[in-house]
Amino acid sequence: MAELVFFSGTMDCGKSTLALQMDYNHSARGRGGILFSRNDRAGDSMISSRLGLRTPAVEVTDSTDFWDEVTDRRRAGAAVDYLICDEAQFYSADQVEQLARVVDELCVDVFAFGITSDFRTRLFPGSARLIELADRMEVLQVRALCWCGRRATHNARTVNGVMVVEGDQVVVGDVGKHAPAAGTVDSAAAAPAEEPLFAAEAVAPVVGYETLCRRHYMRRVTAHKAETIDGQMPGSATDLDVCAVHPRTL
């Protein structure tokens, strides 16, 4: 029996690596598959892993219809036994329903990979529908870690090194690419000697992502902020409650 399986986890826990491994395992046994992705860090039409692996894939857009993708290929004589769907959190609820129909009516296995919640701890529409419809969910066993060493459970977004909890749900970035926070020694050293003459010359904000444990997500303590706190009060970064916003505002 074909299945719709949702593999979930935080960023940096190996979802894309597993997606590519599963494609290899199934194709090595003579099964035909299609790889899909959306908003991959390496660009369009690609599934890439932070370990350096990358494979071409079909880019999912708002107009993608998975039923048509499978039936058109089968009419052309291609074998389609499974789908690898990476970055599935970015799919629409309707597209997830299409995937469920592909499983039920065409007997095609669908292996979807994605994070469940965004930087605001809100479910992505695609992930929410996958949770509702999937035959089973599997949480990846490779644990991403917070800077403190605890298991990371939340995805945090930083803008110029400062954690934010407001903004567009989808802004492509990568784990570990953070600019120093404004006002720090590093940012001051990196700042140009003169202000840009035109707005177009202004440096664009640097958007990055970081995986945090719930404790430090709620307290807004990123790795950069922890270093700052520890520099001011050694040993206090893991214990000091520095949250400037009450958790209920999340």
Side-chain angles (χ1 to χ4, degrees), residues 50-112:
R50 292 187 178 88
L51 296 181
L53 305 173
R54 59 175 59 193
T55 298
V58 177
E59 182 71 13
V60 177
T61 67
D62 291 341
S63 62
T64 298
D65 187 307
F66 289 104
W67 179 269
D68 290 344
E69 291 283 345
V70 174
T71 55
D72 287 350
R73 283 170 171 75
R74 283 188 167 180
R75 289 192 193 100
V80 181
D81 304 306
Y82 66 92
L83 305 183
I84 300 291
C85 298
D86 201 24
E87 307 293 354
Q89 70 272 9
F90 297 135
Y91 301 0
S92 70
D94 287 344
Q95 288 172 329
V96 173
E97 292 177 9
Q98 294 164 12
L99 291 173
R101 185 185 176 201
V102 165
V103 172
D104 295 339
E105 300 185 29
L106 299 179
C107 294
V108 172
D109 286 311
V110 174
F111 306 112

Side-chain angles (χ1 to χ4, degrees), residues 22-246:
M22 289 193 69
D23 174 58
Y24 173 81
N25 290 349
H26 284 264
S27 63
R29 296 297 177 266
R31 304 191 78 203
I34 311 173
L35 281 68
F36 294 95
S37 188
R38 183 167 190 172
N39 296 334
D40 188 273
R41 68 186 69 84
D44 291 348
S45 304
M46 190 70 63
I47 295 179
S48 66
S49 163
R50 292 187 178 88
L51 296 181
L53 305 173
R54 59 175 59 193
T55 298
V58 177
E59 182 71 13
V60 177
T61 67
D62 291 341
S63 62
T64 298
D65 187 307
F66 289 104
W67 179 269
D68 290 344
E69 291 283 345
V70 174
T71 55
D72 287 350
R73 283 170 171 75
R74 283 188 167 180
R75 289 192 193 100
V80 181
D81 304 306
Y82 66 92
L83 305 183
I84 300 291
C85 298
D86 201 24
E87 307 293 354
Q89 70 272 9
F90 297 135
Y91 301 0
S92 70
D94 287 344
Q95 288 172 329
V96 173
E97 292 177 9
Q98 294 164 12
L99 291 173
R101 185 185 176 201
V102 165
V103 172
D104 295 339
E105 300 185 29
L106 299 179
C107 294
V108 172
D109 286 311
V110 174
F111 306 112
F113 300 80
I115 59 179
T116 53
S117 58
D118 62 18
F119 70 105
R120 303 167 301 180
T121 69
R122 304 291 190 266
L123 290 175
F124 284 97
S127 299
R129 199 67 180 124
L130 278 165
I131 291 171
E132 294 164 348
L133 294 181
D135 293 297
R136 58 190 172 91
M137 285 185 58
E138 295 195 13
V139 178
L140 271 67
Q141 297 303 305
V142 177
R143 295 185 174 186
L145 298 178
C146 177
W147 59 264
C148 69
R150 296 185 181 90
R151 179 183 180 184
T153 54
H154 291 70
N155 305 304
R157 177 186 293 174
T158 61
V159 176
N160 292 335
V162 178
M163 181 176 162
V164 296
V165 292
E166 294 182 355
D168 294 338
Q169 187 175 51
V170 180
V171 177
V172 178
D174 202 359
V175 173
K177 294 186 178 179
H178 314 298
T184 64
V185 174
D186 290 340
S187 66
E194 297 180 359
E195 292 295 326
L197 296 177
F198 303 101
E201 297 179 12
V203 178
V206 177
V207 177
Y209 290 91
E210 184 173 344
T211 54
L212 299 174
C213 65
R214 184 178 63 241
R215 180 185 191 187
H216 290 121
Y217 178 91
M218 298 291 281
R219 296 181 179 188
R220 313 287 199 271
V221 184
T222 62
H224 176 80
K225 191 164 189 177
E227 291 175 1
T228 302
I229 296 170
D230 196 57
Q232 296 170 348
M233 292 173 287
S236 64
T238 58
D239 300 316
L240 182 63
D241 189 347
V242 297
C243 182
V245 182
H246 194 280

